[in-house]
Amino acid sequence: MDEIDAAIVAHLQAHARQTNRDLAQAVGVAPSTCLERVRLLRDRGIITGFHAEVDLGALNRGVQALLHVQVRPLSRTVIEGFKAYAMGLPEVLSVFVVAGGDDFLVHVGVPGVDSLHAFLMDKFSGRREIAGFRSSVIYQHTRKAVIEPLDP
Amino acid sequence: MDEIDAAIVAHLQAHARQTNRDLAQAVGVAPSTCLERVRLLRDRGIITGFHAEVDLGALNRGVQALLHVQVRPLSRTVIEGFKAYAMGLPEVLSVFVVAGGDDFLVHVGVPGVDSLHAFLMDKFSGRREIAGFRSSVIYQHTRKAVIEPLDP
DNA sequence: AATGAAATCTAGTCCAC
DNA sequence: GTGGACTAGATTTCATT
C-alpha cells in the first residue's frame, strides 16, 4: 500500500462513483493502472465495498439516540444473542460491543422521541438478559468522510 | 418517494457501483427511468453521496474506542469549539454530540492501545474545557449496510 | 412520467515497454 | 509495474407515447 494506493483509497471514500479516468488523473497514473490497483485493493480486502449514503430524515429517522445497555450474565451466548437481536431490529443503525461500564452501545434512528420511548418499552423492557439501560439522544453526529491511514 | 425509490435507495446503499442497467432491472423500470430517479434522489438530498468503505485494520487503525467527554462550561462556543477540535484530529472517526450524562462521544480508530493512551494524554489531557473523560475500547462494531425507511 | 433507440463515453483486456 | 490501443458494453440524451 504505497502513496498512490492511499490516494486512490482517499478519493474513493469521498466519491465512490468517480469514473476510473478521473480517478486515474487525480492520482497521477494511467487509467489501466488505476483500474488494476482498485481491483487489487478490493481483492486484498482493503476496500470492502461501495455504499450510497442516505439522509436519515428522508427515511423517517429524524431522531437518533445511543442506548447504553448492560446485559447479564456476561457470557458469549448472551452477548452474541443480544447483538443479533439488536441488529435484527429495524430501528437499529449499528451496535458497538464495548469494554467498560456498559456492554453495548446501540445506535438507533427513529421518527421521533415518542417512537424512541415506544421502542425502549416494546423492544428492550422485559428482556431478561438486559440488566439495565440508559438512553442518550443525539443532537449532532458528524462522521469523517475520508479516513486516512495512520503512521505506525 | 414511492416504493421504487425505496428499492433504489436500498440497492444503492448495499452496492453503490451497481450498473444502472442492473439496478433498473432489479427494481423493475427502464434504465433511463432509473437514471432519472437516481438523479432526482440526489437532487432532493435523499442520497447524499457515494462512498467506498475501507477496512480500518488496513489503515493501521486496528483498535477503536469510544471516548465519553464532558466539557465545561456548556456554552455554544465551547461545544462547537471542542467538536471542531476533535474533528480535526486524524485519529477521530466521528463525533456524537449527546444529551445525558456525557456531552460528547468521540469515536476514534488508532493503531493500538498504546496509541490510544498516547492520544488521550497528548490531545485531551490539559485542555481546559474538558471537565472529564472516560474511554471504552470497542470489541466489535457492526453497522447495518442498508437502512430502510420507517413507517410513520 | 416512462420508454426505447441512437450517439457518446467508459470499462476492462491485451500487448508492448 | 506502467501506459496506450481496442472492443464490448454502459451511460445519457431525446423524441415519442
Side-chain angles (χ1 to χ4, degrees):
Chain A
M1 173 119 177
D2 58 7
E3 57 192 6
I4 293 176
D5 282 336
I8 289 174
V9 166
H11 274 83
L12 287 179
Q13 282 185 86
H15 303 292
R17 283 202 147 187
Q18 214 173 15
T19 66
N20 184 60
R21 283 190 166 182
D22 292 347
L23 180 60
Q25 189 174 9
V27 303
V29 294
S32 57
T33 306
C34 187
L35 202 66
E36 174 71 359
R37 279 182 178 259
V38 172
R39 202 178 61 80
L40 287 173
L41 286 166
R42 298 198 66 172
D43 290 348
R44 286 154 64 196
I46 295 176
I47 293 176
T48 55
F50 298 96
H51 307 283
E53 192 176 15
V54 177
D55 178 64
L56 287 176
L59 298 180
N60 196 30
R61 294 167 179 274
V63 170
Q64 294 175 63
L66 280 164
L67 313 177
H68 307 241
V69 181
Q70 292 170 307
V71 295
R72 291 294 178 275
L74 272 180
S75 66
R76 176 183 286 270
T77 311
V78 168
I79 288 177
E80 290 301 323
F82 177 77
K83 196 184 106 180
Y85 170 71
M87 285 300 292
L89 299 172
E91 294 88 350
V92 170
L93 305 176
S94 78
V95 173
F96 297 87
V97 186
V98 293
D102 299 306
D103 302 315
F104 290 94
L105 261 81
V106 182
H107 186 191
V108 298
V110 291
V113 283
D114 48 345
S115 348
L116 178 61
H117 189 239
F119 171 78
L120 291 169
M121 297 299 108
D122 298 343
K123 309 287 178 66
F124 271 40
S125 301
R127 281 190 70 87
R128 271 199 305 284
E129 81 271 35
I130 299 181
F133 64 86
R134 174 168 70 81
S135 49
S136 304
V137 171
I138 297 171
Y139 294 135
Q140 297 176 38
H141 180 207
T142 311
R143 189 154 48 115
K144 234 179 241 183
V146 178
I147 302 168
E148 65 217 284
L150 289 185
D151 301 322
Chain B
M1 173 118 178
D2 59 6
E3 57 192 6
I4 294 177
D5 282 336
I8 290 174
V9 166
H11 273 82
L12 287 180
Q13 281 184 89
H15 303 292
R17 282 202 150 186
Q18 215 175 14
T19 66
N20 184 59
R21 278 190 166 184
D22 293 346
L23 180 61
Q25 189 174 6
V27 304
V29 294
S32 52
T33 307
C34 187
L35 201 68
E36 174 72 358
R37 279 183 179 258
V38 172
R39 203 180 61 80
L40 286 173
L41 286 167
R42 299 199 65 173
D43 290 349
R44 286 153 64 197
I46 294 175
I47 294 176
T48 55
F50 298 96
H51 306 282
E53 191 177 16
V54 178
D55 178 65
L56 287 176
L59 297 181
N60 197 29
R61 294 167 178 274
V63 171
Q64 294 176 62
L66 281 164
L67 313 177
H68 306 241
V69 181
Q70 292 171 307
V71 295
R72 293 293 177 277
L74 272 179
S75 65
R76 175 183 285 272
T77 311
V78 168
I79 288 177
E80 290 300 324
F82 177 77
K83 196 183 108 183
Y85 171 70
M87 285 300 292
L89 298 172
E91 294 87 353
V92 170
L93 305 176
S94 78
V95 173
F96 297 86
V97 186
V98 293
D102 298 305
D103 303 313
F104 290 94
L105 261 80
V106 182
H107 185 191
V108 298
V110 291
V113 282
D114 49 344
S115 348
L116 178 61
H117 189 237
F119 171 77
L120 292 169
M121 295 299 108
D122 297 343
K123 309 285 180 66
F124 272 39
S125 302
R127 282 191 68 90
R128 269 200 303 283
E129 80 270 36
I130 299 181
F133 64 87
R134 175 167 70 82
S135 48
S136 303
V137 171
I138 298 170
Y139 293 135
Q140 297 175 38
H141 180 208
T142 311
R143 191 154 46 116
K144 232 179 242 179
V146 177
I147 301 168
E148 65 217 284
L150 289 185
D151 300 324

